[in-house]
């Protein structure tokens, strides 16, 4: 083996040297850019390996022009290491120089019967010879079972994916080569620097663990004897200077500096940024040297992407010339905007270049291209760098910053102020297409109003935007389909929150029809389903969800605030109407919902219904009531979702037996909202104010603005009131209408949440009328029967005995005989039981008592 100088500046790294030492790994590829620590890792391993005499280390020479040059070096190194006798080595070189196949020559002259490791450093220097040497090495491995091969390279090699019959191929890329905090700590100790875990972690954060940068930082610390200010840009610059020194010349270093500004570059953009007409060949050379790679471009063709450490290092180098750097940023941002790709990067570059008009336009395209219907804070770090005095003159930047801030409930007051800048902007430029100018202004202002909590202004502006959209010519509509679809989604949400469901649905469906991208259509369809299912048309919601292309959505769990999350909310309501509360809980993944979006009331109303149905109404009502005490809850205000939430909360308190808190919830809400109609009637019924409940139901059904669900709910609770006051014809009409709506549209979750005594009373009425449709509507599976248990019914001990006897024996005479009392005594006790349970028959009394836990499971009928 050649003499190896001890590795300095990098500690021993067992996590990597174990890979190189393992006999199971027959082919190791260590891949990374200059400065990643490849050669140092090889030296560290060679000096620490248990069998150093097995190693043949060869560095591929610069300027290699033929495979003969490499194999001559390999044969000579093998001879020096003792794997090949001197005479055989001379013969092998002679044969190879005469044109013999080197692998066949090895088979004839080298009977390798002991372990050996061939290590090839600087493998990227092979250039066009790489493919041939790749094949030769695979043949060698197949021929010699005891041989292992390790190559270190900057560039790509087919060896990375080589499949071996008897061993593993292992690739160590630059990510694994990055030093960990523990390894940096060991290096600090080795260099006599302060031994501090926090410093080691700071060094890794500042350098990304890139070996060259780490070594520079550690050297500096050890020389000055104290902790430095660890500014990442400073150390990126050090890395860039050292890498630049290894490049072919200053022109190449300048080329990398100019082109590393962009996240990726095609040959055309590289020429624009650098002014170098030979950009294509330079990029290909840089790929071969391991500084980056060509990757497919979404719009077709290919682009070059630098590896992260190189890109970060040379961007820091570019910043030294501030004016040139800003020009390069703007040039790259314009190119990305023209290509319609990487708009997030384009925004960052425009902000870096301080071209606020360009950043404003890029953000407009970014918002239009978004498939999410609710904001997130992804762009917040970039947009916070925009000066405050710039925002009033660039409304889309103000709007985007407001969206990013509004994703965090703690920053809603700040977001409201920024939204005001977008609302009050005196003019909007043409962002996308003149046909969308006024629609853009209306939609942005409407969305800003909605997210500020001003629902009425949002609804009015959205209605006007919808009118403008209807007047857009078909040719223009097809030209601006994607951005128009994004605007219509926001219009739809604003109209829905304002109680204009038909128009909201029309906007959502139009959005889906004009969107050409599957992800955009998914988002629009999910909005439509999320509006439709809570409104009671779960049949249509199911049909809408069936059209989704789920392959275009990411695999991670959906967030309730995303388009995918809205689809989950719709699916949860479909499960609720199927009376599958466990399935709805699984859909919604019900944990306490984080209040992070205006979607919170809708998601929380859904969770209330689920927990109510699962028999935990009191606990969930308490949790939600506590949440509602906060003043910074997003989405809670004068809107439909908030009405639905408070209706669900009132019903949960009624189920828990707390009529007072249910009344407090209802009294704080508008008296004319149809979304609260059912809860008001149910509260009067719980208070035994049957005549008032009947009158209330009549008044509520006369209101406009009902959804399928809210009308069916009031028709059902109104039927209970009608039965209690003796108006069976009205009960028949109302209950029949609710059953027909359920049969056609699917809304029936509210049936399972009725108090058992009321549901059984309706069931007896339907049975008396021999109405299968009504009976099917009122039928609930056993798992749903405990959904709406009222406060515990207090039966005396004697009444419990009588009820148990009724459950077992059936007739009054048999019960009297079993209890040794008269039939009249049993009848008197049964009347008291009926009154307490709210029923009128022995069978209903037993059913309700069983649901309330007063009776155990149903006993089998006695055999005569």
């Amino acid at each position: 083996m050649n003499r190896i100088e001890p590795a300095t500046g990098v500690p021993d790294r067992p996590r990597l040297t174990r890979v190189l030492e393992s006999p199971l790994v027959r082919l190791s590829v260590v891949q990374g850019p200059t400065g990643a620590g490849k050669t140092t890792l090889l030296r560290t391993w060679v000096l620490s390996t248990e069998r150093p005499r097995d190693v043949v280390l060869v560095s591929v020479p610069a300027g290699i022009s033929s495979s003969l040059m490499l194999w001559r070096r390999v044969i000579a190194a093998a001879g020096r290491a003792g794997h090949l006798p001197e005479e055989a080595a001379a013969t092998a070189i002679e044969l190879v120089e005469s044109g013999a196949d080197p692998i066949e020559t090895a088979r004839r002259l080298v009977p390798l019967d002991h372990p050996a490791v061939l290590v090839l450093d600087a493998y990227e220097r092979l250039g066009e010879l790489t493919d041939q040497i790749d094949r030769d090495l695979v043949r060698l491995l197949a021929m010699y079972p005891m041989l292992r091969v390790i190559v270190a390279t900057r560039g790509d090699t087919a060896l990375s994916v080589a499949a071996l019959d008897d061993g593993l191929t292992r690739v160590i890329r630059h990510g694994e080569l990055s030093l960990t905090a523990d390894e940096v700590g060991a290096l600090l100790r080795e260099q006599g620097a302060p031994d501090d875990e926090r410093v080691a972690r700071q060094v890794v954060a500042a350098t990304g663990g890139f070996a060259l940068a780490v070594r520079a930082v550690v050297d500096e610390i050890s020389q000055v004897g104290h902790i430095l200010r660890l500014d990442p840009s400073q150390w990126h610059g050090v890395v860039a200077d050292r890498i630049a020194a290894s490049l072919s010349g200053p022109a190449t270093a300048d080329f990398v500096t100019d082109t590393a500004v962009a996240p990726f570059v095609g040959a055309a953009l590289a020429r624009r940024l650098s002014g170098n007409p030979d950009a294509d060949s330079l990029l290909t050379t840089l790929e071969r040297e391991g500084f980056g790679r060509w990757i497919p471009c979404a719009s077709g063709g290919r682009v070059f992407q630098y590896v992260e450490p190189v890109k970060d290092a040379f961007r820091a180098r570019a910043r030294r010339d501030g004016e040139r750097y800003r020009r390069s940023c703007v040039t790259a941002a314009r190119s990305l905007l023209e290509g319609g790709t990487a708009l997030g990067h384009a925004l960052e570059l425009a902000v870096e270049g301080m071209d606020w008009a360009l950043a404003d336009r890029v953000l407009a395209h970014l918002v239009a291209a978004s498939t999410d219907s609710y904001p997130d804070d992804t762009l917040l770090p970039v947009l916070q760098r925009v000066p405050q005095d710039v925002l009033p003159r660039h409304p889309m930047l103000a709007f985007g910053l407001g969206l990013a801030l509004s994703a965090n409930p703690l920053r809603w007051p700040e977001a409201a102020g920024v939204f005001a800048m977008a609302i009050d902007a005196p003019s909007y430029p043409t962002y996308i297409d003149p046909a969308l100018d006024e629609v853009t202004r209306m939609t942005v202002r409407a969305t800003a109003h909605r997210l500020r909590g001003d629902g009425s202004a949002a609804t009015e502006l959205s209605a006007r935007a919808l009118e403008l959209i209807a007047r857009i010519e078909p040719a223009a509509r097809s030209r601006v389909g994607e951005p128009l679809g994004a605007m219509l989604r926001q219009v739809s949400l604003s109209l829905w929150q304002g109680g204009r469901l038909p128009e909201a649905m029309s906007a959502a469906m139009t959005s889906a029809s004009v969107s050409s991208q599957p992800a955009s259509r998914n988002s629009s369809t999910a909005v439509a389903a999320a509006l439709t299912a809570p409104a009671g048309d779960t049949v249509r919601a199911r049909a809408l969800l069936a059209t989704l292309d789920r392959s275009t959505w990411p695999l991670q769990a959906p967030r309730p605030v995303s388009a995918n999350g809205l689809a989950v909310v719709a699916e949860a309501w479909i499960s609720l109407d199927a009376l599958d509360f466990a399935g709805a809980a699984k859909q919604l993944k019900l944990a306490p919902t984080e209040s992070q979006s205006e979607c919170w009331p809708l998601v929380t109303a859904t969770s209330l219904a689920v927990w109510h149905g699962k028999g935990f109404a009191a606990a969930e009502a308490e949790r939600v009531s506590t949440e509602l005490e906060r003043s910074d809850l997003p989405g809670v205000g004068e809107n439909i979702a908030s009405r639905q939430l408070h209706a669900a909360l009132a019903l949960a308190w009624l189920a828990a037996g707390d009529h007072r808190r249910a009344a407090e919830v209802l009294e704080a809400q508008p008296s004319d909202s149809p979304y609260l109609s059912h809860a008001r009637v149910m509260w009067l019924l719980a208070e035994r104010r049957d005549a008032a409940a009947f009158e209330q139901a009549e008044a509520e059904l006369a209101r406009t603005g009902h959804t399928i669900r809210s009308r069916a709910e009031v028709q059902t609770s109104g039927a209970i009131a009608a039965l209690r006051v003796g108006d069976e014809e009205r009960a028949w009409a109302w209950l029949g209408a609710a059953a027909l709506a359920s049969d056609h549209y699917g809304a029936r979750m509210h049936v399972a949440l009725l108090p058992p005594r009321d549901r059984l009373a309706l069931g007896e009425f339907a049975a008396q009328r021999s109405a299968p449709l009504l009976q099917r509507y009122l039928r609930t599976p056993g798992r749903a029967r405990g959904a709406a248990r009222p406060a515990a019914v207090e039966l005396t001990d004697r009444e419990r005995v009588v009820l148990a006897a009724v459950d077992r024996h059936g007739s009054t005479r048999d019960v009297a005989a079993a209890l040794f009392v008269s039939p009249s005594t049993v009848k008197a006790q049964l009347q008291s039981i009926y009154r307490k349970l709210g029923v009128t028959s022995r069978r209903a009394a037993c059913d309700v008592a069983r649901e309330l836990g007063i009776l155990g499971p149903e006993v089998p009928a006695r055999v005569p």
Side-chain angles (χ1 to χ4, degrees), residues 672 674 677 694-706 710-711 714-715 730 734:
D672 60 350
S677 297
F694 180 77
E695 292 175 3
Q696 186 75 32
E698 284 188 309
E700 298 292 349
L701 287 171
R703 296 192 192 283
T704 59
H706 273 290
S710 66
R711 184 172 296 279
V714 182
Q715 288 168 335
R730 189 65 63 88
W734 284 344

Side-chain angles (χ1 to χ4, degrees), residues 105 321 426 481 535 542 550 560 572 712 739:
T105 299
D321 185 343
R542 186 182 289 108
R550 296 182 184 271

Side-chain angles (χ1 to χ4, degrees), residues 13-89:
R13 291 188 277 176
R15 64 185 176 89
L16 299 180
T17 55
R18 277 195 298 267
V19 175
L20 303 182
E21 187 76 12
S22 172
L24 298 176
V25 181
R26 295 201 57 212
L27 176 57
S28 299
V29 179
V30 184
Q31 188 177 37
T34 297
K38 305 180 299 298
T39 300
T40 307
L41 173 64
L42 294 184
R43 290 178 177 177
T44 302
W45 171 72
V46 169
L47 289 171
S48 63
T49 181
E50 296 177 358
R51 301 174 61 92
R53 293 188 60 83
D54 293 347
V55 179
V56 176
L57 175 62
V58 176
S59 182
V60 177
I64 185 171
S65 58
S66 69
S67 61
L68 170 61
M69 293 177 64
L70 175 66
W71 290 118
R72 191 162 46 208
R73 283 176 171 251
V74 171
I75 293 168
R80 289 193 297 270
H83 295 289
L84 196 60
E86 186 176 339
E87 183 179 341

Side-chain angles (χ1 to χ4, degrees), residues 416-476:
V418 176
F419 278 137
M421 298 182 191
I423 293 169
D424 297 336
S427 63
Y428 281 56
T430 296
Y431 288 117
I432 297 168
D433 188 286
L436 287 181
D437 283 354
E438 190 62 15
V439 174
T440 301
R441 188 174 72 87
M442 291 287 183
T443 304
V444 168
R445 293 177 63 203
T447 306
H449 274 299
R450 188 184 82 233
L451 293 173
R452 292 183 73 202
D454 188 351
S456 59
T459 303
E460 179 185 347
L461 286 166
S462 294
R464 289 164 60 189
L466 200 58
E467 293 173 2
L468 290 172
I469 290 169
R471 294 200 291 267
I472 295 177
E473 295 293 330

Side-chain angles (χ1 to χ4, degrees), residues 154 243-253 255-256 282 285-286 289 291:
R154 298 177 189 171
I243 294 177
S246 71
L247 294 172
S248 59
T252 304
F255 177 84
V256 176
L282 272 171
T285 300
L286 290 169
E289 292 293 310
F291 291 103

Side-chain angles (χ1 to χ4, degrees), residues 108 152 173 232 251 377 387 474 551:
R108 289 171 52 192
R173 302 190 189 278
D377 57 1
S551 66

Side-chain angles (χ1 to χ4, degrees), residues 660-677:
R660 178 186 61 81
R661 296 187 74 172
E664 290 173 354
V665 170
L666 294 172
E667 287 168 0
Q669 298 302 306
S671 60
D672 60 350
S673 172
Y675 292 89
L676 293 144
S677 297

